Amino acid sequence: MKVMKFGGTSVGSAERIKNVAELVTKRGKNIIVLSAMAGTTNTLVEISDYLYKKNIDGAKETINALEKKYYETIMELFEDEGQREAARSEIKACFNYVRSFTKDLFTVFEEKEILAQGELMSTAMMNIYLRSIGVKSVLLPALDYMRTDKNGEPDGQYIRQKLSALLDKYADADMYITQGYICRNAYGEIDNLQRGGSDYSASLVGAAINAEEIEIWTDIDGMHNNDPRFVDGTDPVDELHFEEAAELAYFGAKILHPTCVLPAKLNNIPVRLLNTMCPSAKGTLIHNATGAHKIKAVAAKDNITAIKIKSGRMLLAYGFLRKVFEIFETHKTPIDMIATSEVGVSVTIDSEKNLDNILDDLKKFGTVTVDHDMVIICVVGDLEWQNRGFEAAALDALKELPVRMISYGGSNYNISFLVRKSDKVKALNLLSDRLFKNKK
Ligand code: ADP
Ligand code: ASP
Ligand code: MG
């Protein structure tokens, strides 16, 4: 059995829902993981913001407008009045639930319950639609099996047990539909796997059932060799190693959520990135092997802050770096890039939430300088140190731009450059021209 995950755009209208239904019925008995319809989770976040601010009119207006869109989708999706009514009553229950929060205290717990409605609605509609075209589909409620533990990590054993019990119970189904993104936490409260987390759900489900493959269906024909939002003429990459995919996802290739790779990698389950709008396209296969001697792709991660600590005390001293890193640990802030010299160290972080406290503590160890609004440009491929010329080519591509930091040798798959936000698009394009365009 495979896991097939469809993102928001893939289920973003009645027509798309019909397309997905046709696509999945041709592919046999699988588990279908769905995101909310495109735009829904953002609107639910907007509704929650109104509720936090006690702007009840704003919340009600936004709820009504979103609800109307769903009823329009239902009218287009179903011809039979009975099926329309069945779908409307499911959707109405979700919106009435959201509306119930306009009366009471509103906290992060209520917000999570609101955010869960998007996936509950898309899966309910898909299930009713599949049944209306004669497919014996069964809804597997993610809130009954997807759970995180006290550290907020997925509870693998629980997920496996609950999911396999559900699959046994509905063994004669034609296919299974389930929600991405949503889960319960260790206390049984409704929670989620962070924005964009439906990819993670698919991977966790895949790992739990030891799936033959995890397919991530989206609006583009696989992982491209550069960010198509900023570079023209990008091309899909045929295959990536798990490590390469993880680097690209973490460093900004939005097509894949960074958390999605690990469960698949640990269980050695191939992940395939496919295009709902063009199902015949080859897409990208992510697995445990890769073409050697190739630079595969470039990605960019925004909102990076660079911090430099310069200290005479670092010279010939041991324990200095530990003390520096401990400060970041104390303030629960992960470090992305590191570059060191004998008298100083530069690190990057992607959240300024605890920056002031970090800087206060770092100042005890030396002179500290900060550069805001930076971007990590990450070049991914077979960058094993014995291969010659790849680092030079990447660096040569960027020779016109000021580069704040370079990191190479941390893995066999990545070289990263830190540049100014204002140079990001130029850097991505220069790398594309130098690394990919002349190779065609
Ligand atoms: P979904 O809603 O299906 O999860 P996403 O919007 O999360 O889809 O991811 C798909 C989008 O990722 C594409 O439309 C594309 O704009 C963007 N993207 C960014 N970098 C890349 C890349 N390297 N390759 C392919 N798509 C990318
Ligand atoms: N619907 C959620 C979001 O928009 C999860 C997802 O689409 O992956 O973030
Ligand atoms: Mg996504």
Side-chain angles (χ1 to χ4, degrees):
M1 201 151 52
K2 289 183 183 175
V3 176
M4 302 171 76
K5 177 258 168 177
F6 293 86
T9 357
S10 303
V11 292
S13 65
E15 197 192 339
R16 295 242 191 278
I17 294 174
K18 285 183 189 173
N19 284 349
V20 170
E22 197 190 323
L23 198 155
V24 295
T25 40
K26 279 190 197 141
R27 284 168 167 78
K29 184 168 176 170
N30 293 306
I31 301 187
I32 316 301
V33 177
L34 300 184
S35 289
M37 290 177 79
T40 294
T41 312
N42 285 345
T43 310
L44 295 171
V45 169
E46 213 182 298
I47 292 165
S48 304
D49 285 345
Y50 280 126
L51 293 174
Y52 275 122
K53 291 178 185 135
K54 301 263 170 281
N55 181 346
I56 304 303
D57 288 344
K60 283 187 178 162
E61 224 171 274
T62 317
I63 296 170
N64 293 344
L66 186 65
E67 188 177 19
K68 191 165 163 267
K69 275 211 256 174
Y70 274 81
Y71 294 149
E72 284 163 8
T73 306
I74 289 170
M75 286 301 283
E76 222 185 306
L77 189 57
F78 300 99
E79 270 151 35
D80 177 88
E81 202 37 55
Q83 286 156 2
R84 281 180 178 164
E85 203 36 54
R88 263 195 298 258
S89 93
E90 293 273 349
I91 298 302
K92 198 175 178 119
C94 293
F95 279 103
N96 284 345
Y97 188 56
V98 174
R99 254 184 219 103
S100 72
F101 296 111
T102 55
K103 297 190 189 79
D104 299 313
L105 176 77
F106 195 75
T107 70
V108 67
F109 298 107
E110 285 75 31
E111 179 181 15
K112 284 179 173 165
E113 295 192 20
I114 288 190
L115 296 187
Q117 302 309 311
E119 273 68 13
L120 291 170
M121 293 195 288
S122 62
T123 48
M125 286 203 298
M126 180 65 84
N127 193 40
I128 297 172
Y129 181 72
L130 282 167
R131 293 193 148 253
S132 81
I133 58 168
V135 180
K136 256 194 327 179
S137 67
V138 166
L139 207 53
L140 305 177
L143 298 178
D144 289 355
Y145 69 82
M146 189 59 79
R147 192 170 83 164
T148 53
D149 63 19
K150 286 188 177 147
N151 300 316
E153 292 296 323
D155 185 339
Q157 206 181 344
Y158 181 93
I159 299 169
R160 204 169 306 116
Q161 274 172 6
K162 292 284 176 183
L163 198 51
S164 82
L166 282 168
L167 293 175
D168 286 349
K169 185 169 168 194
Y170 301 110
D172 61 350
D174 289 341
M175 79 173 73
Y176 305 98
I177 312 292
T178 192
Q179 299 85 15
Y181 178 58
I182 64 175
C183 64
R184 286 188 191 274
N185 63 20
Y187 310 99
E189 295 147 348
I190 293 185
D191 207 333
N192 60 61
L193 300 171
Q194 311 291 331
R195 294 302 308 271
S198 292
D199 296 347
Y200 197 19
S201 305
S203 187
L204 292 169
V205 169
I209 64 157
N210 205 12
E212 177 193 333
E213 193 166 276
I214 297 159
E215 295 182 348
I216 307 289
W217 289 81
T218 180
D219 58 1
I220 189 164
D221 52 350
M223 176 74 79
H224 277 222
N225 56 11
N226 209 322
D227 195 322
R229 295 168 297 179
F230 305 109
V231 177
D232 289 333
T234 57
D235 288 311
V237 180
D238 288 348
E239 58 167 356
L240 289 168
H241 191 278
F242 284 121
E243 305 280 353
E244 293 172 327
E247 301 267 12
L248 286 168
Y250 183 73
F251 286 108
K254 187 179 174 245
I255 183 171
L256 195 63
H257 196 271
T259 50
C260 170
V261 180
L262 191 63
K265 183 183 138 190
L266 291 177
N267 294 278
N268 202 14
I269 302 170
V271 177
R272 210 180 279 271
L273 308 181
L274 293 157
N275 189 354
T276 320
M277 323 302 161
C278 179
S280 58
K282 199 169 160 203
T284 301
L285 175 65
I286 302 167
H287 58 164
N288 214 353
T290 184
H293 301 289
K294 257 193 185 161
I295 294 207
K296 301 288 182 52
V298 177
K301 187 172 184 199
D302 300 324
N303 297 322
I304 302 294
T305 305
I307 305 170
K308 178 159 40 180
I309 310 108
K310 245 177 74 187
S311 168
R313 279 199 268 165
M314 191 173 163
L315 192 67
L316 301 175
Y318 46 83
F320 179 82
L321 286 178
R322 179 179 56 77
K323 288 178 199 144
V324 168
F325 292 151
E326 262 173 10
I327 292 171
F328 289 87
E329 188 184 352
T330 307
H331 297 294
K332 296 191 167 43
T333 302
I335 292 171
D336 282 325
M337 267 176 93
I338 310 168
T340 62
S341 91
E342 195 47 53
V343 289
V345 55
S346 274
V347 300
T348 69
I349 56 175
D350 67 359
S351 159
E352 293 199 355
K353 198 170 147 221
N354 300 315
L355 184 63
D356 289 343
N357 293 331
I358 291 171
L359 296 181
D360 280 349
D361 286 352
L362 286 175
K363 280 174 189 160
K364 294 171 198 150
F365 293 103
T367 318
V368 180
T369 45
V370 180
D371 294 293
H372 302 275
D373 289 330
M374 306 298 285
V375 171
I376 296 177
I377 305 285
C378 169
V379 177
V380 167
D382 178 15
L383 286 157
E384 232 240 282
W385 70 276
Q386 279 120 332
N387 293 341
R388 268 162 271 186
F390 290 149
E391 314 86 86
L395 200 54
D396 186 53
L398 299 179
K399 65 185 172 218
E400 290 171 31
L401 298 179
V403 175
R404 166 70 179 81
M405 277 169 75
I406 300 175
S407 176
Y408 171 66
S411 82
N412 286 342
Y413 301 98
N414 160 332
I415 175 162
S416 299
F417 302 93
L418 189 70
V419 301
R420 291 186 305 221
K421 180 181 162 190
S422 50
D423 290 330
K424 163 180 159 175
V425 176
K426 180 119 200 247
L428 290 175
N429 278 281
L430 286 169
L431 284 163
S432 247
D433 291 345
R434 177 74 174 79
L435 301 175
F436 308 125
K437 298 267 161 77
N438 56 358
K439 303 283 186 304
K440 276 186 193 172

